[in-house]
Structures are given as structure tokens and as C-alpha cells.
Amino acid sequence: MITIRHLKKEYANATPLKDVNVEIHKGDVISVIGPSGTGKSTLIRCINLLETPTSGEIFVDGECITDKKCNINKVRQKMGMVFQSFNLFNHMNVIENIMAAPMDLLKKSKQEAYDYGIELLRTVGLADKAFNYPDQLSGGQKQRVAIVRALAMEPEIILLDEPTSALDPTMVGEVQAVIRDLARKGLTLMIVTHEMRFAREIANRVFYMDEGGVYEDGTPEEIFDNPKKEKTIRFIKHLKVFEHLITSKDFDFIGFNTDLEEFGRRNQVAPKTIYRAQSVFEELAVQCVLPKLDKDFKLNVAFEYSQEEETLFMTLKYDGDTFDVRNTPNVISFAIAENASESIEYAEIDEDGFKNLVTVKIK
Amino acid sequence: MTIEQIVNATELTVKVAGRLDTTTAPELETFLKQSIEGVEKLILDFSELEYLSSAGLRILLTTQKAMNKQGEMIIKNINETINEIFEVTGFIDILTVE
């Protein structure tokens, strides 16, 4: 239904989308999740050309909508858009808001537009508000009207940009119920949301966005229960991360330890755990790995703390020759590190120039 | 790390406080090399030593070897964590810990 190829969106000082490649099928209900600033809203705004992509192609039903010759208004008729801030016309009452576009663009008669509008309002429980003005409605009611307005155009897909994030918490449920109903009816939906439980229950696909694209795409079970990629795991498990790239043997060791202590304090990691983390870092990274690395090297250290599980992991990634740190001749350092760890694992990798991965679960 | 010393004839007490790690171990090494000449009893007071790494252990080992030739070395007042490090590395059997 929608095919996106090499989509890029660049602003003067940010590039939220670097290279997006996805296929959206008819009937898909897609939750788009990810940290702030990873281009979730930009992606759906590019799909209906509210933002002009810098490069790349978007095909809707085989038609290239990024082609300059394409009739944008015609394409937009296939897509409904629901905004975070409702965007209703305040000088029109509810039914007028709903009737305007079908009469203008679909050339429906006033009666047809009215009848269908009322029918749709009934499905969201707001038929009695047809002649009210938007400022007489609650936030939840406004958003339900905005959804009806999108539906009135009989779109093939509805794009929802954080539809509940501007709402009072008591009104989130009523809007989610309406969206759930749309999904049940088989409409194709794409929803940017920060509500993880909702994202999971409603969707058949989840896009986790990061690093300028759809970083991981899977079923809700795959993304929420068994994420495969590093950043998805961090996001889903609410991992607090302290990361540092070392490229010189004279790196600021004292500064590193001070920052690690600060990271521990900020995230309520037990002081004893941080002490062990410092010990494992010094013994494995500084004493065992660093002496093995060439002059030009890179050693990435990351500590990931799960507040839910109260577990702290350290990962070391380094380039150079294959070197399983568990075989280090430095038995004293390794004994100290082992004593402060639950487990020390090693794997050969080929990732961004790194060849070695050590994963330590700190005691 | 801070180092304090008390000299009593041929007995030298060195109190090491703070962190004895990769960056601070060389300082203690230099200090001990310069201070143990003629010392027959070296007491290392670790009551305020908070952190010890293998870099610090190596200094203890070289100092122990030097003191074996001229007298004795005793380590006092270690905390539980440092005792654990002495145990897992086998240093507990090499050093005299009171």
C-alpha cells in the first residue's frame, strides 16, 4: 500500500530521518515508538507531505507521491491525519468541521456529508454534540471529533500523531477506545505514541525509531518481549546508560570514575554496585584490554542499569585483534574482576569496526 | 589518595587514604621506594583506604619483596572489600595482614 525508499528529511541543524525504508500493508496497524527527536512525527508528516522530504521516494498504491508531477491534494484524500492538538476550526461547529472537506474535495452533497457525519459521530458517542462549537468540548471530545473528521474523507490510511499526548489523563481512555475500534474495523493506521501499553495492544506491527530510521520493525511481541537490537533493548527495558568511547591510553581515568559515580547517584544504583563496576572496569578494560590494543584504537565502554531489575551490565567493545579477555595472562586483574561479577562473557563481533565484545553482569 | 607517615626510629607507619588505583599507585610506589631505606618494620595502615585495584596490589608485592630483605611489612585495618581482594588474588597468603 505504501512503500518508502531511502527517505531523508534534513533541517538546517538536524536530520531526523536519514534513510527510511519500509513497506506498509493494507490493514496494518503500526505503532511508531522511540525516544524524543528520532523523527517519529516527521515520518508521518512526510508520508502525507505535510513535510517535504529532502530525498527518497514514497509510493502510495504504486503512485510516486514524492514526484513533483503528483497531485498532492488527491494523495492527501487517501490519508487522514489526526494531530496532537486536534486542529479543529473553532469558528465552525462540530458537524461543519466534519462536512467541509467531503463537500469540497469529494464533492458530496450537503445532505450526504451531513448524514455520514452524524453516522460517524454516533460511532464515537458524540452525535448529541453535532451543533456544539469546539471550545464547548473537552479535549477528549475534540480529539474524537478530529478522528471523525479524518474518517469522513473515507481515507485508506489514518496517520495519528501522538493523538493522546495533549489530553488530560482522564480523557486518554475514551480516545484510545475510538482508535481501538478503528483498528478492529480493519482500517490501516499508523500511530505515533508514547503510551507503550496502548502501542503494544493495538498494533500488529511496531516501528522502533532511532538513528535516523526505523531501527527495528517487528510484531509487538518481538519488539516488547524480545527486542534484538541494542537501542531497542535499552528503550524497552528503560535502561539507564552511561557510555564512553576511549581512544587514548592517557584518557581521563579519574574523570571517568567520577562520571560513573554520578551516573550511579542519579539512577539510585547501590554504591557497592558502583564500586564493583569501577573495579571491573579498571581490571578488565584498563589492565587487561588496553595494553593489548594498538596505538590507534577504540574501546567503547557502556554501563546499562535496569531500575526495574536492579541489574547493572558493563559492555566493552574494542577493535584490534581477536582477544578473549577471559584468556588474559593477567590473572590477578581477572580474579578481582571475576569476584565483582556474576558473569563475564565474550563474543567476536563485526560491528562499526569493533571486533570484540565483553559483557559483564556486575554483582 | 593521601599518604601520611609516622617515623619511630626504624619503624615506619604509612597511612594511605582514599583510592589506590591505576592513577595513584605510581605515587605510592615512588613514596615507598624513597622512604623504606633503613626501615626494619613497615606498617601500612589502610583504615581509610576505600578502593584497591591490582595496580595497588603490585606495589604491595614489590614493597613486600624489598622488606623481606630488611625486616617485615604489616598491613593493618583493612576493610571487608579489601580483605576480599586479598583473598581472591591469594595475596592474603603472601602479605602479613593484621
Side-chain angles (χ1 to χ4, degrees), chain A residues 111-167:
Chain A
Q111 191 61 47
E112 269 180 308
Y114 176 84
D115 290 345
Y116 190 46
I118 294 288
E119 188 187 322
L120 289 172
L121 278 174
R122 219 169 268 137
T123 64
V124 301
L126 289 175
D128 62 333
K129 303 283 181 200
F131 299 103
N132 285 58
Y133 281 83
D135 60 12
Q136 296 171 304
L137 305 177
S138 70
Q141 290 170 333
K142 279 185 210 172
Q143 195 59 299
R144 283 188 276 161
V145 171
I147 292 170
V148 165
R149 185 179 56 175
L151 288 170
M153 286 297 288
E154 299 172 52
E156 291 179 20
I157 181 170
I158 299 189
L159 309 168
L160 301 105
D161 188 5
E162 300 192 33
T164 58
S165 59
L167 299 177

Short mmCIF file of all heavy atoms in Angstrom, two decimals, chain A residues 111-167:
data_model
loop_
_atom_site.label_atom_id
_atom_site.label_comp_id
_atom_site.label_asym_id
_atom_site.label_seq_id
_atom_site.Cartn_x
_atom_site.Cartn_y
_atom_site.Cartn_z
N GLN A 111 -26.38 17.11 2.15
CA GLN A 111 -27.15 16.08 2.86
C GLN A 111 -26.31 14.82 3.08
O GLN A 111 -26.27 14.28 4.19
CB GLN A 111 -28.43 15.73 2.06
CG GLN A 111 -29.42 14.87 2.82
CD GLN A 111 -29.94 15.57 4.09
OE1 GLN A 111 -30.33 16.74 4.05
NE2 GLN A 111 -29.92 14.87 5.21
N GLU A 112 -25.62 14.41 2.00
CA GLU A 112 -24.77 13.21 2.11
C GLU A 112 -23.69 13.40 3.19
O GLU A 112 -23.48 12.53 4.04
CB GLU A 112 -24.05 12.98 0.77
CG GLU A 112 -24.76 12.09 -0.22
CD GLU A 112 -23.92 11.97 -1.49
OE1 GLU A 112 -23.51 13.02 -2.04
OE2 GLU A 112 -23.65 10.84 -1.89
N ALA A 113 -23.04 14.55 3.12
CA ALA A 113 -21.96 14.84 4.07
C ALA A 113 -22.50 14.89 5.49
O ALA A 113 -21.88 14.38 6.43
CB ALA A 113 -21.27 16.15 3.70
N TYR A 114 -23.67 15.48 5.63
CA TYR A 114 -24.29 15.59 6.96
C TYR A 114 -24.65 14.21 7.51
O TYR A 114 -24.30 13.86 8.63
CB TYR A 114 -25.53 16.48 6.87
CG TYR A 114 -26.28 16.57 8.17
CD1 TYR A 114 -25.90 17.47 9.17
CD2 TYR A 114 -27.38 15.73 8.43
CE1 TYR A 114 -26.58 17.54 10.37
CE2 TYR A 114 -28.06 15.79 9.64
CZ TYR A 114 -27.65 16.69 10.60
OH TYR A 114 -28.32 16.75 11.81
N ASP A 115 -25.33 13.43 6.67
CA ASP A 115 -25.77 12.11 7.11
C ASP A 115 -24.59 11.23 7.54
O ASP A 115 -24.63 10.59 8.59
CB ASP A 115 -26.55 11.39 5.99
CG ASP A 115 -27.91 12.03 5.75
OD1 ASP A 115 -28.34 12.84 6.62
OD2 ASP A 115 -28.51 11.76 4.69
N TYR A 116 -23.57 11.25 6.71
CA TYR A 116 -22.41 10.40 7.02
C TYR A 116 -21.69 10.92 8.28
O TYR A 116 -21.25 10.14 9.13
CB TYR A 116 -21.45 10.35 5.82
CG TYR A 116 -20.37 9.31 5.97
CD1 TYR A 116 -20.67 8.01 6.40
CD2 TYR A 116 -19.04 9.62 5.67
CE1 TYR A 116 -19.67 7.06 6.55
CE2 TYR A 116 -18.04 8.65 5.81
CZ TYR A 116 -18.36 7.39 6.25
OH TYR A 116 -17.38 6.45 6.41
N GLY A 117 -21.64 12.24 8.39
CA GLY A 117 -21.00 12.86 9.56
C GLY A 117 -21.71 12.47 10.85
O GLY A 117 -21.08 12.09 11.84
N ILE A 118 -23.03 12.53 10.82
CA ILE A 118 -23.80 12.17 12.02
C ILE A 118 -23.61 10.68 12.34
O ILE A 118 -23.42 10.29 13.50
CB ILE A 118 -25.31 12.49 11.83
CG1 ILE A 118 -25.52 14.00 11.71
CG2 ILE A 118 -26.18 11.87 12.93
CD1 ILE A 118 -25.34 14.79 13.00
N GLU A 119 -23.62 9.88 11.29
CA GLU A 119 -23.43 8.43 11.48
C GLU A 119 -22.07 8.16 12.17
O GLU A 119 -21.99 7.37 13.10
CB GLU A 119 -23.47 7.78 10.09
CG GLU A 119 -23.48 6.26 10.11
CD GLU A 119 -23.35 5.69 8.70
OE1 GLU A 119 -23.92 6.28 7.75
OE2 GLU A 119 -22.63 4.68 8.55
N LEU A 120 -21.07 8.85 11.70
CA LEU A 120 -19.74 8.65 12.29
C LEU A 120 -19.69 9.18 13.72
O LEU A 120 -19.10 8.57 14.61
CB LEU A 120 -18.67 9.36 11.45
CG LEU A 120 -18.34 8.74 10.09
CD1 LEU A 120 -17.42 9.65 9.31
CD2 LEU A 120 -17.69 7.37 10.26
N LEU A 121 -20.33 10.34 13.94
CA LEU A 121 -20.33 10.90 15.30
C LEU A 121 -21.00 9.92 16.27
O LEU A 121 -20.57 9.80 17.42
CB LEU A 121 -21.08 12.24 15.33
CG LEU A 121 -20.26 13.46 14.89
CD1 LEU A 121 -21.17 14.69 14.83
CD2 LEU A 121 -19.10 13.74 15.85
N ARG A 122 -22.04 9.25 15.76
CA ARG A 122 -22.73 8.28 16.60
C ARG A 122 -21.76 7.17 17.04
O ARG A 122 -21.78 6.73 18.18
CB ARG A 122 -23.90 7.66 15.81
CG ARG A 122 -25.12 7.46 16.64
CD ARG A 122 -26.35 7.12 15.79
NE ARG A 122 -27.10 8.29 15.41
CZ ARG A 122 -27.60 8.51 14.20
NH1 ARG A 122 -27.43 7.63 13.24
NH2 ARG A 122 -28.28 9.60 13.95
N THR A 123 -20.90 6.72 16.12
CA THR A 123 -19.96 5.62 16.45
C THR A 123 -18.96 6.03 17.53
O THR A 123 -18.38 5.16 18.18
CB THR A 123 -19.18 5.13 15.21
OG1 THR A 123 -18.37 6.20 14.74
CG2 THR A 123 -20.11 4.66 14.11
N VAL A 124 -18.72 7.33 17.67
CA VAL A 124 -17.79 7.74 18.73
C VAL A 124 -18.55 8.37 19.91
O VAL A 124 -17.95 8.99 20.79
CB VAL A 124 -16.69 8.70 18.21
CG1 VAL A 124 -15.89 8.05 17.10
CG2 VAL A 124 -17.26 10.04 17.75
N GLY A 125 -19.86 8.20 19.91
CA GLY A 125 -20.69 8.65 21.04
C GLY A 125 -20.84 10.16 21.14
O GLY A 125 -21.07 10.70 22.23
N LEU A 126 -20.75 10.87 20.02
CA LEU A 126 -20.83 12.33 20.10
C LEU A 126 -21.90 12.94 19.19
O LEU A 126 -21.86 14.14 18.88
CB LEU A 126 -19.46 12.95 19.72
CG LEU A 126 -18.33 12.76 20.72
CD1 LEU A 126 -17.03 13.31 20.17
CD2 LEU A 126 -18.65 13.44 22.05
N ALA A 127 -22.91 12.12 18.80
CA ALA A 127 -23.95 12.65 17.91
C ALA A 127 -24.66 13.85 18.53
O ALA A 127 -25.03 14.79 17.83
CB ALA A 127 -24.94 11.53 17.57
N ASP A 128 -24.80 13.83 19.85
CA ASP A 128 -25.51 14.95 20.50
C ASP A 128 -24.67 16.23 20.56
O ASP A 128 -25.15 17.27 21.01
CB ASP A 128 -25.95 14.53 21.91
CG ASP A 128 -24.79 14.20 22.81
OD1 ASP A 128 -23.72 13.79 22.28
OD2 ASP A 128 -24.90 14.35 24.04
N LYS A 129 -23.42 16.17 20.11
CA LYS A 129 -22.56 17.37 20.14
C LYS A 129 -22.41 17.99 18.75
O LYS A 129 -21.59 18.89 18.55
CB LYS A 129 -21.15 17.02 20.68
CG LYS A 129 -21.13 16.38 22.05
CD LYS A 129 -21.35 17.41 23.14
CE LYS A 129 -21.29 16.75 24.51
NZ LYS A 129 -21.94 17.55 25.54
N ALA A 130 -23.20 17.49 17.79
CA ALA A 130 -23.02 17.92 16.40
C ALA A 130 -23.06 19.43 16.21
O ALA A 130 -22.34 19.98 15.37
CB ALA A 130 -24.06 17.25 15.51
N PHE A 131 -23.87 20.12 17.02
CA PHE A 131 -24.01 21.57 16.81
C PHE A 131 -23.26 22.40 17.85
O PHE A 131 -23.41 23.60 17.92
CB PHE A 131 -25.51 21.93 16.75
CG PHE A 131 -26.18 21.23 15.60
CD1 PHE A 131 -26.97 20.10 15.82
CD2 PHE A 131 -25.97 21.64 14.28
CE1 PHE A 131 -27.55 19.42 14.76
CE2 PHE A 131 -26.54 20.95 13.21
CZ PHE A 131 -27.34 19.85 13.44
N ASN A 132 -22.45 21.72 18.63
CA ASN A 132 -21.59 22.44 19.58
C ASN A 132 -20.36 22.95 18.85
O ASN A 132 -19.96 22.39 17.82
CB ASN A 132 -21.14 21.52 20.71
CG ASN A 132 -22.25 21.24 21.70
OD1 ASN A 132 -23.31 20.74 21.34
ND2 ASN A 132 -22.00 21.57 22.95
N TYR A 133 -19.76 23.99 19.43
CA TYR A 133 -18.50 24.50 18.87
C TYR A 133 -17.33 23.85 19.62
O TYR A 133 -17.51 23.43 20.78
CB TYR A 133 -18.47 26.03 18.98
CG TYR A 133 -19.29 26.67 17.88
CD1 TYR A 133 -20.67 26.81 18.02
CD2 TYR A 133 -18.69 27.06 16.68
CE1 TYR A 133 -21.43 27.34 17.00
CE2 TYR A 133 -19.44 27.59 15.66
CZ TYR A 133 -20.82 27.72 15.82
OH TYR A 133 -21.56 28.23 14.79
N PRO A 134 -16.18 23.75 18.97
CA PRO A 134 -15.05 23.06 19.61
C PRO A 134 -14.75 23.54 21.02
O PRO A 134 -14.47 22.73 21.90
CB PRO A 134 -13.88 23.34 18.66
CG PRO A 134 -14.54 23.45 17.32
CD PRO A 134 -15.86 24.13 17.58
N ASP A 135 -14.85 24.86 21.27
CA ASP A 135 -14.49 25.31 22.62
C ASP A 135 -15.53 24.92 23.68
O ASP A 135 -15.35 25.19 24.86
CB ASP A 135 -14.15 26.81 22.65
CG ASP A 135 -15.32 27.67 22.18
OD1 ASP A 135 -16.43 27.13 22.06
OD2 ASP A 135 -15.10 28.88 21.92
N GLN A 136 -16.61 24.28 23.26
CA GLN A 136 -17.58 23.76 24.24
C GLN A 136 -17.32 22.29 24.56
O GLN A 136 -18.07 21.66 25.30
CB GLN A 136 -19.01 23.91 23.68
CG GLN A 136 -19.42 25.36 23.46
CD GLN A 136 -20.73 25.47 22.69
OE1 GLN A 136 -20.87 24.93 21.60
NE2 GLN A 136 -21.69 26.20 23.27
N LEU A 137 -16.28 21.76 23.95
CA LEU A 137 -15.97 20.34 24.13
C LEU A 137 -14.73 20.14 25.00
O LEU A 137 -13.85 21.00 25.06
CB LEU A 137 -15.70 19.67 22.78
CG LEU A 137 -16.77 19.79 21.69
CD1 LEU A 137 -16.28 19.12 20.41
CD2 LEU A 137 -18.08 19.16 22.15
N SER A 138 -14.66 18.96 25.63
CA SER A 138 -13.44 18.62 26.38
C SER A 138 -12.36 18.19 25.37
O SER A 138 -12.67 17.95 24.18
CB SER A 138 -13.73 17.46 27.33
OG SER A 138 -13.93 16.28 26.56
N GLY A 139 -11.14 18.06 25.85
CA GLY A 139 -10.03 17.65 24.97
C GLY A 139 -10.30 16.30 24.31
O GLY A 139 -10.09 16.11 23.12
N GLY A 140 -10.82 15.37 25.12
CA GLY A 140 -11.09 14.02 24.61
C GLY A 140 -12.17 14.06 23.53
O GLY A 140 -12.07 13.36 22.51
N GLN A 141 -13.19 14.90 23.76
CA GLN A 141 -14.26 15.02 22.76
C GLN A 141 -13.73 15.66 21.48
O GLN A 141 -14.06 15.23 20.37
CB GLN A 141 -15.42 15.84 23.34
CG GLN A 141 -16.17 15.09 24.44
CD GLN A 141 -17.15 15.98 25.19
OE1 GLN A 141 -16.98 17.19 25.27
NE2 GLN A 141 -18.18 15.37 25.75
N LYS A 142 -12.87 16.69 21.63
CA LYS A 142 -12.30 17.35 20.44
C LYS A 142 -11.52 16.35 19.61
O LYS A 142 -11.61 16.33 18.39
CB LYS A 142 -11.35 18.48 20.88
CG LYS A 142 -12.04 19.77 21.25
CD LYS A 142 -10.99 20.82 21.54
CE LYS A 142 -11.52 21.79 22.57
NZ LYS A 142 -10.54 22.72 23.06
N GLN A 143 -10.75 15.50 20.31
CA GLN A 143 -9.94 14.56 19.55
C GLN A 143 -10.83 13.51 18.87
O GLN A 143 -10.54 13.07 17.75
CB GLN A 143 -8.88 13.89 20.47
CG GLN A 143 -7.77 13.17 19.76
CD GLN A 143 -6.96 14.08 18.84
OE1 GLN A 143 -7.49 14.67 17.88
NE2 GLN A 143 -5.68 14.23 19.11
N ARG A 144 -11.92 13.13 19.49
CA ARG A 144 -12.83 12.18 18.84
C ARG A 144 -13.46 12.82 17.61
O ARG A 144 -13.63 12.16 16.58
CB ARG A 144 -13.90 11.72 19.84
CG ARG A 144 -13.36 10.69 20.83
CD ARG A 144 -14.47 10.09 21.67
NE ARG A 144 -14.78 10.93 22.82
CZ ARG A 144 -15.92 10.84 23.51
NH1 ARG A 144 -16.85 9.98 23.14
NH2 ARG A 144 -16.12 11.60 24.55
N VAL A 145 -13.76 14.12 17.70
CA VAL A 145 -14.30 14.83 16.53
C VAL A 145 -13.23 14.87 15.43
O VAL A 145 -13.51 14.64 14.24
CB VAL A 145 -14.75 16.26 16.90
CG1 VAL A 145 -15.08 17.07 15.65
CG2 VAL A 145 -15.94 16.21 17.84
N ALA A 146 -11.99 15.12 15.83
CA ALA A 146 -10.90 15.18 14.84
C ALA A 146 -10.74 13.84 14.13
O ALA A 146 -10.49 13.79 12.91
CB ALA A 146 -9.59 15.58 15.53
N ILE A 147 -10.95 12.76 14.87
CA ILE A 147 -10.87 11.42 14.25
C ILE A 147 -12.03 11.23 13.27
O ILE A 147 -11.84 10.75 12.15
CB ILE A 147 -10.85 10.31 15.34
CG1 ILE A 147 -9.53 10.39 16.12
CG2 ILE A 147 -11.02 8.92 14.71
CD1 ILE A 147 -9.47 9.52 17.37
N VAL A 148 -13.21 11.66 13.68
CA VAL A 148 -14.38 11.56 12.80
C VAL A 148 -14.14 12.40 11.52
O VAL A 148 -14.46 11.98 10.41
CB VAL A 148 -15.66 12.02 13.53
CG1 VAL A 148 -16.80 12.27 12.55
CG2 VAL A 148 -16.07 10.97 14.55
N ARG A 149 -13.57 13.58 11.71
CA ARG A 149 -13.31 14.44 10.55
C ARG A 149 -12.38 13.72 9.56
O ARG A 149 -12.57 13.78 8.34
CB ARG A 149 -12.69 15.77 10.99
CG ARG A 149 -12.51 16.73 9.83
CD ARG A 149 -11.94 18.04 10.26
NE ARG A 149 -10.66 17.85 10.96
CZ ARG A 149 -9.91 18.85 11.37
NH1 ARG A 149 -10.28 20.09 11.16
NH2 ARG A 149 -8.77 18.60 11.99
N ALA A 150 -11.39 13.02 10.10
CA ALA A 150 -10.48 12.28 9.22
C ALA A 150 -11.24 11.14 8.53
O ALA A 150 -11.10 10.91 7.32
CB ALA A 150 -9.30 11.73 10.02
N LEU A 151 -12.11 10.44 9.30
CA LEU A 151 -12.86 9.31 8.75
C LEU A 151 -13.87 9.73 7.67
O LEU A 151 -14.13 8.97 6.74
CB LEU A 151 -13.64 8.60 9.86
CG LEU A 151 -12.83 7.77 10.85
CD1 LEU A 151 -13.72 7.34 12.00
CD2 LEU A 151 -12.24 6.54 10.14
N ALA A 152 -14.37 10.95 7.80
CA ALA A 152 -15.40 11.43 6.87
C ALA A 152 -14.87 11.48 5.43
O ALA A 152 -15.64 11.45 4.48
CB ALA A 152 -15.88 12.81 7.31
N MET A 153 -13.58 11.55 5.30
CA MET A 153 -12.97 11.58 3.96
C MET A 153 -12.77 10.16 3.40
O MET A 153 -12.18 9.99 2.34
CB MET A 153 -11.63 12.31 4.00
CG MET A 153 -11.76 13.82 4.14
SD MET A 153 -12.60 14.53 2.72
CE MET A 153 -11.33 14.37 1.47
N GLU A 154 -13.22 9.18 4.14
CA GLU A 154 -13.09 7.77 3.76
C GLU A 154 -11.67 7.44 3.30
O GLU A 154 -11.44 6.96 2.19
CB GLU A 154 -14.11 7.43 2.66
CG GLU A 154 -15.53 7.64 3.17
CD GLU A 154 -16.57 7.50 2.07
OE1 GLU A 154 -16.54 6.48 1.39
OE2 GLU A 154 -17.40 8.41 1.92
N PRO A 155 -10.70 7.73 4.16
CA PRO A 155 -9.29 7.55 3.77
C PRO A 155 -8.90 6.07 3.77
O PRO A 155 -9.59 5.25 4.37
CB PRO A 155 -8.53 8.29 4.86
CG PRO A 155 -9.39 8.16 6.07
CD PRO A 155 -10.80 8.15 5.58
N GLU A 156 -7.79 5.79 3.10
CA GLU A 156 -7.29 4.41 3.08
C GLU A 156 -6.41 4.16 4.30
O GLU A 156 -6.22 3.03 4.72
CB GLU A 156 -6.51 4.16 1.79
CG GLU A 156 -7.42 4.15 0.60
CD GLU A 156 -6.68 3.92 -0.70
OE1 GLU A 156 -5.55 3.40 -0.66
OE2 GLU A 156 -7.24 4.27 -1.74
N ILE A 157 -5.82 5.25 4.78
CA ILE A 157 -4.97 5.11 5.97
C ILE A 157 -5.17 6.34 6.85
O ILE A 157 -5.42 7.44 6.34
CB ILE A 157 -3.47 4.96 5.57
CG1 ILE A 157 -2.58 4.79 6.81
CG2 ILE A 157 -2.98 6.12 4.71
CD1 ILE A 157 -1.15 4.40 6.53
N ILE A 158 -5.10 6.13 8.15
CA ILE A 158 -5.15 7.28 9.06
C ILE A 158 -3.83 7.36 9.80
O ILE A 158 -3.35 6.37 10.37
CB ILE A 158 -6.33 7.19 10.05
CG1 ILE A 158 -7.66 7.15 9.26
CG2 ILE A 158 -6.33 8.38 11.00
CD1 ILE A 158 -8.89 7.28 10.10
N LEU A 159 -3.25 8.55 9.76
CA LEU A 159 -1.99 8.80 10.45
C LEU A 159 -2.30 9.59 11.71
O LEU A 159 -2.94 10.64 11.64
CB LEU A 159 -1.05 9.61 9.55
CG LEU A 159 -0.84 9.06 8.13
CD1 LEU A 159 -0.14 10.10 7.25
CD2 LEU A 159 -0.03 7.78 8.18
N LEU A 160 -1.90 9.06 12.84
CA LEU A 160 -2.21 9.74 14.11
C LEU A 160 -0.91 10.13 14.80
O LEU A 160 -0.08 9.28 15.12
CB LEU A 160 -3.03 8.82 15.02
CG LEU A 160 -4.38 8.34 14.45
CD1 LEU A 160 -4.28 6.88 14.02
CD2 LEU A 160 -5.50 8.49 15.47
N ASP A 161 -0.75 11.45 14.99
CA ASP A 161 0.49 11.96 15.56
C ASP A 161 0.29 12.27 17.05
O ASP A 161 -0.25 13.32 17.39
CB ASP A 161 0.91 13.22 14.79
CG ASP A 161 2.29 13.70 15.21
OD1 ASP A 161 2.95 13.00 16.01
OD2 ASP A 161 2.72 14.77 14.74
N GLU A 162 0.69 11.36 17.88
CA GLU A 162 0.52 11.48 19.34
C GLU A 162 -0.90 11.94 19.70
O GLU A 162 -1.08 12.99 20.31
CB GLU A 162 1.56 12.45 19.92
CG GLU A 162 2.98 11.98 19.65
CD GLU A 162 4.00 12.77 20.45
OE1 GLU A 162 3.67 13.19 21.56
OE2 GLU A 162 5.11 12.95 19.95
N PRO A 163 -1.90 11.15 19.35
CA PRO A 163 -3.28 11.62 19.49
C PRO A 163 -3.74 11.81 20.93
O PRO A 163 -4.74 12.49 21.15
CB PRO A 163 -4.09 10.50 18.82
CG PRO A 163 -3.21 9.30 18.88
CD PRO A 163 -1.82 9.80 18.77
N THR A 164 -3.01 11.25 21.90
CA THR A 164 -3.50 11.40 23.27
C THR A 164 -2.55 12.21 24.16
O THR A 164 -2.83 12.43 25.33
CB THR A 164 -3.72 10.02 23.94
OG1 THR A 164 -2.48 9.31 23.92
CG2 THR A 164 -4.79 9.22 23.23
N SER A 165 -1.45 12.70 23.57
CA SER A 165 -0.46 13.30 24.48
C SER A 165 -0.84 14.70 24.95
O SER A 165 -0.26 15.19 25.92
CB SER A 165 0.94 13.27 23.86
OG SER A 165 0.92 13.97 22.66
N ALA A 166 -1.81 15.36 24.31
CA ALA A 166 -2.21 16.68 24.81
C ALA A 166 -3.42 16.58 25.73
O ALA A 166 -3.96 17.60 26.15
CB ALA A 166 -2.53 17.59 23.62
N LEU A 167 -3.84 15.35 26.03
CA LEU A 167 -5.07 15.18 26.79
C LEU A 167 -4.84 15.02 28.28
O LEU A 167 -3.82 14.46 28.71
CB LEU A 167 -5.83 13.94 26.29
CG LEU A 167 -6.27 13.93 24.83
CD1 LEU A 167 -6.93 12.59 24.51
CD2 LEU A 167 -7.24 15.07 24.55
#
